[in-house]
Amino acid sequence: MVIAHRGASGYLPEHTLPAKTLAFAMGADYLEQDIVASGDGALLVLHDIYLDRISNVAELFPRRARDDGRYYARDFDLAEIRQLTAWERMNADGSAVYPNRFPPRTGSFRLHTLRDELELLESLNKATGRDVGIYPEIKRPAWHRDEGIDIAPLLLEELARFGYRGARANAYVQCFDAEETERLRRDLGSELPLIQLIGENAWRESPTDFSALLTSDGLASVSHFADGIGPFFEQLYRVERGRPISNGVVEMAREAGLVIHPYTFRSDSLAHGFTSFDAMLGFAFDVLQVDGLFTDFTDSVRRYIDGRRAR
């Protein structure tokens, strides 16, 4: 299963409709949508709660930064956000995060809403006869509630409007915050397939203790409210004598009945212990036997899978 991470983000600016269309054309099975709220409650497809490193917001609205110097999506309404030009992701100093990708500060890309993307995908599926699914992530739910908006029920409502409801829906909903993932199932009553994302505690992505989740007991607890895990790929192996080997997390997850969708596979940023992208894919699919993976390079992963099937 190939999950297009923010679209075809190895080639076009992330979370833009052209990037999603290209990923669809490259053969993605699922398109990922990160969900953030605007000031007037629109559900934006945006990886961060910030706008300044992926758009020209500082040029158009120079006095709208908060005290920390960042420009927050929550401080702009949808009409203002639609005025912005979306760019390739940049570092704080303005340099490109991935220097060999689409040049930053170029192009005429736009930010968009979840509804925009679901309408596009619905049309693409209809035009091609395919059934590409969706993979939305609830970003920073506790922070959003502190800002006065609860995006989880809004997300479920929007998905239901497009027919994504029930366990058989061609959709996964993911979140780093384990309390929120569990809330989706228990309090909000969602029957959609749920994925518990797992990061590193040092990232401070959520209050969740990810180290505790990466144990037999932790994964067993996840299985009570989620269908699978989305771990950082390097959490699934260790390198011994120059060779990657499983560290047991995959085996424990399978024992708990969880599917495994690691992130993020990038041919221009290889994981520790690997010298080629194909070697990463071979280890993931053939050794760990993951069920799917997130990638910035859908075409390369699809080519690998097709070649593997032909052998």
Side-chain angles (χ1 to χ4, degrees):
M1 193 171 93
V2 184
I3 307 153
H5 181 248
R6 311 181 203 172
S9 52
Y11 303 100
L12 292 172
E14 65 184 46
H15 284 323
T16 59
L17 292 180
K20 300 302 174 74
T21 304
L22 181 57
F24 184 100
M26 287 176 167
D29 299 303
Y30 288 83
L31 303 181
E32 184 196 32
Q33 303 83 26
D34 294 312
I35 307 302
V36 171
S38 70
D40 52 352
L43 297 182
L44 307 171
V45 179
L46 189 67
H47 181 257
D48 299 319
I49 57 175
Y50 313 107
L51 295 165
D52 43 284
R53 295 184 188 173
I54 49 87
S55 79
N56 64 339
V57 65
E59 296 177 5
L60 266 60
F61 302 98
R63 294 182 176 85
R64 298 279 288 279
R66 293 194 184 185
D67 291 343
D68 60 3
R70 305 300 303 270
Y71 290 76
Y72 288 72
R74 188 73 180 136
D75 294 336
F76 297 83
D77 63 30
L78 180 58
E80 292 172 324
I81 286 170
R82 289 202 187 278
Q83 297 176 41
L84 304 178
T85 298
W87 288 333
E88 180 69 24
R89 179 166 293 278
M90 298 177 294
N91 294 304
D93 63 3
S95 62
V97 173
Y98 298 100
N100 295 321
R101 297 189 183 183
F102 201 92
R105 300 177 181 273
T106 62
S108 56
F109 303 95
R110 298 292 175 181
L111 302 176
H112 64 273
T113 66
L114 176 62
R115 184 170 300 185
D116 294 333
E117 185 160 333
L118 295 181
E119 289 175 345
L120 172 66
L121 181 57
E122 187 175 66
S123 297
L124 289 171
N125 278 332
K126 182 177 181 180
T128 61
R130 295 176 63 195
D131 188 22
V132 173
I134 60 169
Y135 212 123
E137 177 188 344
I138 298 172
K139 301 295 292 188
R140 304 283 291 275
W143 181 88
H144 274 95
R145 283 194 292 273
D146 287 343
E147 290 283 315
I149 188 166
D150 186 0
I151 60 176
L154 297 177
L155 171 64
L156 295 179
E157 180 181 339
E158 189 78 319
L159 295 185
R161 184 176 291 112
F162 283 83
Y164 297 103
R165 56 172 71 86
R168 294 182 177 272
N170 196 17
Y172 287 91
V173 177
Q174 57 180 335
C175 190
F176 277 103
D177 190 325
E179 287 188 6
E180 190 75 356
T181 312
E182 185 170 7
R183 175 177 175 248
L184 286 167
R185 182 74 81 219
R186 302 201 188 285
D187 298 340
L188 299 179
S190 177
E191 297 179 355
L192 291 168
L194 301 180
I195 297 293
Q196 177 59 52
L197 290 171
I198 302 177
E200 298 288 347
N201 289 341
W203 299 349
R204 298 182 179 179
E205 185 67 36
S206 85
T208 301
D209 183 351
F210 296 122
S211 297
L213 291 188
L214 289 169
T215 64
S216 179
D217 288 345
L219 292 168
S221 71
V222 169
S223 71
H224 293 302
F225 57 83
D227 300 277
I229 57 170
F232 178 46
F233 178 48
E234 294 188 15
Q235 293 173 322
L236 302 182
Y237 67 91
R238 63 179 181 272
V239 178
E240 288 190 1
R241 298 180 182 179
R243 296 182 58 189
I245 62 171
S246 174
N247 62 7
V249 170
V250 164
E251 290 78 7
M252 290 187 293
R254 293 206 185 285
E255 181 68 22
L258 298 166
V259 298
I260 303 141
H261 300 162
Y263 64 88
T264 304
F265 286 70
R266 300 180 171 105
S267 60
D268 56 355
S269 182
L270 300 180
H272 173 62
F274 295 93
T275 58
S276 75
F277 195 51
D278 278 1
M280 283 177 62
L281 297 176
F283 182 75
F285 284 126
D286 301 327
V287 179
L288 298 181
Q289 298 185 352
V290 301
D291 301 286
L293 54 79
F294 290 82
T295 183
D296 293 3
F297 297 90
T298 292
D299 55 338
S300 297
V301 179
R302 178 58 63 200
R303 191 180 307 119
Y304 179 87
I305 292 172
D306 292 346
R308 181 171 171 255
R309 287 172 177 164
R311 290 197 292 270

